[in-house]
Every structure is written in C-alpha cells, then in structure tokens.
Amino acid sequence: MSDIAERYVRLAHAIDAHSEGFIDGYGGPQDWAVRETRDPQALRNEAQALLADVAGVPEPGRRAWLEVQVRAMHTMTRLLSGEAIPYADEVRGLYDIEPRRADLGALDAALAELDAVLPGSGPLPAREEALRARLAVPRGEIMRVAQPILAELRARVTERFGLPSGEDFSIELVTDKPWSGYNWPLGNLRSRIDINTDLPVLLPALPDLMAHEGYPGHHTEHATKEARLVREHGWHEHGIQLINAPECVVSEGIAVNALRAVMTREDLEAWLTGDLAALSGVDPEDIRTFLAASHVKKALGGVSGEAAMRLHADGAPEAEVLDFLRTYALASDARAAQSLRFIQNPNFRAYIFTYSVGGDLVGAELDRGGADAYARLLREPVTPGQLRA
C-alpha cells in the first residue's frame, strides 16, 4: 500500500490541471506534484483503478476515508469528461451528503421572529443593514481588534485540545473575493488566513471568523492532522486538501462549530459586550441585538443551499435568485451579489452545502460527545457517512 498516497496526490494534481482550485493546499513531496493536463477519460480510469486498490488498505479508518475521497475524485473526472450529472447527484458524488431544500414556511416564520428582534421599522434588510453599519470595524482597525481575539482563542485551544509545536499562520486583508474569510493550508504546520474586506467586517462576527479559520477551526485541524496523520503515521494523503471532496463536509463542520467548542454563548456575549466593545468603541446594546438576531437567523441557514438548488437544479434566472437572497438572507444588493458569485463559482457551486450539512453533523457529534468528540475530529480521518451513522 506504500504507493496509494502517491497515486492519490498525483491524481489530484492531474485533476487540478483541468479544474484549477481543486487542490486547496499541498505540503507533501514536490516530485509528486506533477500538474500536467491529461486526457479526462484516462483520469477517470485511473480513479476507478485507485478506488479498487484502496479497498486493500489494511487500516479501517484510513481505508474508509480514502474510499469516499477517491469516489469524489472519480465524480470530478466524470464531470471533466463532459458527462452531464444532475446537480443533486453532483453534490452527492462530490461530498457524500444529500443536498437540502429549505422549508419556506420555516423561513417565513424566522423572518417574522426577526421582525420583533431588529430595531426600527420598515423592510427587514434595511433595518439589518443599519445595525451592521453600526457594528463595522474600520479596515485599518481589523488587525488590532483581531489580535486579542486570537490570543484568547489560542490559549483556550492549547488548554483544551493542544496544538502541535511549530504551528502558525499569517493574516492578510484582501478584496474581490466571493467569500468572507479563507484559510489556505501551506504545509509544515502553517497556513494563511485571508479576510475579505469587500463588505464590512463586523465586531460580533470577528470571534467566529477567527475561530472558524484559525483556532480551533481550519488551521488547527490541518496542522493537527499533518502532525499526527502525516508525520506520525505516514499517511501522506493528508498532506493535501481537496476542495471538492467529502473531507470538506467534516472540515467545515469543525469550523462552523469551532467557537462553540471553546466558548459558551454566555461567555461570548460577556466578552463581546465588555472588553471587545471597549476596544473597538462599539455600543454593547447593538452587539446584544446582533447576537439575538443571529440566534434567530440560524433558522435561515439553508437559504444559500436553496438558492443554489434554484439556480443549478431548477434553472431559475439570476434575478430571481438574487431576489430570493435579498428576501431570506436579508442581504443588501452587494451581499446578495457576493452570495450569488459564490454559488456560481465552479469550485463552490456544490460546496455551499458543506456548511449547513457539515455544521449539523458535527454539531450533533458535539451534543453527544462534547470536547472529546471535537478532539477526535481534529485528529482522526472521519467521513460524513461515519458522522451520520
């Protein structure tokens, strides 16, 4: 089985040559990173052969993880070969999950509840935008405010889960991106976090953003698995991260629940309305209102997925999808356009479900097992199907 990881990595780079961005990060042997364009049908055959050989991997956990990952790679090669795969089947094939439609009745009920929470009168989107404007951190102040947040999160993660020696990341402020934040794994226990400032960065959202991308979210997971699975076990398939594969469901689930894993809702509110409000000059009452609205908006978590289904499965026109996002995501024109841009991106059109489905799967795992369950997800290869079981 010594060549399984090398074949996996080489196939991933060959797919990335056709679909740039398929590889999210790589820190393994450079002589495996051959990014050459090859015939999609040959890649499809290669993926099929690799899947058959993965069945012989002796370690059950490693084998189960590789099986779903290589199935996703096979789905990618089918798409590259020009096969027309229905959108819902594309989501299933790439991520080992079921795409979910939203319950419009539940969305309308959440909007009615928000109407009672958001101050002012008039359309809900305008009232939320007014609140967001009062909570925005000036671009020049983002790093100053983020530093104590990161220090606190890192201290809690170190105490609760531990961190591999030598891990670190840098942060950059960027523009013209379809996402609000991104973690780029760089290998050698390092990563880079980009914060997109196309739209205002809000103080109450900063702890979640830093936890999601950094401690104990994406950076922590990637560094921990590199130290444990690659360096200790020699499982070099974990030295590469793929964007269109089931690993993303678990990874986004870890990140969506990252802040919850180290801080209670009560602790977060006290921190935001106390030290962080004083540091940034934001009104604590506006923070409390935002947090109350955010709690209600969890019922709107399926809006982006529903928008993607309308666009890609139903064939709805862009204008209709934008109107849906403005109504149910309470999105300004700019935020609705950014959301549409995300679900239109070839690498993210099916990815959107990893947040809601992955968040629910990992959240249920935390409900059952608490910190120990979260620690296991940081350290071991786990598939969406194993979380569903």
Side-chain angles (χ1 to χ4, degrees), residues 4 57 65 85 87 102 113 136 162 275 302 331 354:
I4 287 289
V57 171
W65 188 87
I85 302 177
Y87 179 67
E113 193 173 350
D275 291 346
T354 65

Side-chain angles (χ1 to χ4, degrees), residues 28-298:
Q30 285 306 301
D31 59 339
W32 295 1
V34 181
R35 195 174 177 275
E36 61 182 8
T37 303
R38 291 193 277 131
D39 178 61
Q41 185 59 51
L43 297 181
R44 184 170 179 170
N45 295 339
E46 188 174 326
Q48 191 66 49
L50 180 57
L51 183 60
D53 290 343
V54 161
V57 171
E59 301 91 349
R62 185 187 188 194
R63 181 176 62 249
W65 188 87
L66 277 168
E67 283 176 345
V68 297
Q69 291 288 113
V70 177
R71 283 196 200 104
M73 297 168 87
H74 185 258
T75 299
M76 279 296 298
T77 63
R78 291 168 59 199
L79 292 166
L80 295 177
S81 299
E83 182 177 344
I85 302 177
Y87 179 67
D89 290 338
E90 179 183 338
V91 175
R92 295 183 189 103
L94 293 177
Y95 296 108
D96 188 34
I97 57 175
E98 286 293 319
R100 297 194 302 210
R101 303 298 304 238
D103 180 341
L104 292 186
L107 297 184
D108 287 331
L111 291 184
E113 193 173 350
L114 271 173
D115 188 52
V117 172
L118 288 174
S121 58
L124 281 175
R127 287 154 61 187
E128 187 183 48
E129 285 302 314
L131 176 63
R132 292 171 65 90
R134 296 195 296 273
L135 295 169
V137 178
R139 193 178 195 275
E141 294 290 295
I142 292 172
M143 296 305 300
R144 181 180 70 86
V145 176
Q147 289 309 314
I149 295 174
L150 286 170
E152 178 65 22
L153 292 174
R154 190 179 193 279
R156 289 180 179 235
V157 171
T158 301
E159 179 182 1
R160 189 163 300 188
F161 305 115
L163 287 165
S165 177
E167 61 76 28
D168 199 7
F169 60 79
S170 61
I171 301 178
E172 294 186 17
L173 304 182
V174 300
T175 58
D176 193 26
K177 304 297 180 184
W179 32 256
S180 58
Y182 208 101
N183 177 283
W184 301 98
L186 303 177
N188 199 30
L189 310 181
R190 305 298 179 91
S191 62
R192 186 186 85 238
I193 294 173
D194 287 348
I195 299 175
N196 185 15
T197 59
D198 286 344
L199 299 174
V201 175
L202 310 185
L203 175 68
L206 256 182
D208 184 69
L209 180 61
M210 293 295 94
H212 187 115
E213 307 296 349
Y215 301 120
H218 290 316
H219 168 74
T220 303
E221 181 202 1
H222 295 322
T224 301
K225 285 178 176 170
E226 181 183 356
R228 179 179 174 84
L229 301 179
V230 178
R231 295 186 177 184
E232 292 182 17
H233 294 322
W235 297 355
H236 288 278
E237 63 270 18
H238 292 279
I240 189 170
Q241 289 78 38
L242 309 181
I243 200 70
N244 297 127
E247 65 177 303
C248 296
V249 177
V250 179
S251 188
E252 290 299 352
I254 288 170
V256 165
N257 288 278
L259 191 57
R260 169 193 169 185
V262 293
M263 187 172 290
T264 67
R265 186 181 172 193
E266 292 74 22
D267 285 344
L268 175 62
E269 181 168 342
W271 189 27
L272 280 167
T273 57
D275 291 346
L276 295 181
L279 178 68
S280 59
V282 170
D283 186 344
E285 284 306 312
D286 283 336
I287 294 173
R288 292 187 181 93
T289 300
F290 181 89
L291 292 176
S294 297
H295 185 67
V296 175
K297 286 180 70 177
K298 288 181 179 178

Side-chain angles (χ1 to χ4, degrees), residues 160-161 224 366 370-380:
R160 189 163 300 188
F161 305 115
T224 301
L366 294 188
D372 288 343
Y374 195 86
R376 181 176 76 91
L377 295 175
L378 289 176
R379 297 168 185 161
E380 298 178 12

Side-chain angles (χ1 to χ4, degrees), residues 87 100-102 301-310 343 352-353 356:
Y87 179 67
R100 297 194 302 210
R101 303 298 304 238
V303 166
S304 294
E306 175 65 22
M309 290 293 286
R310 291 183 176 214
I343 61 177
I352 191 66
F353 293 97
S356 57

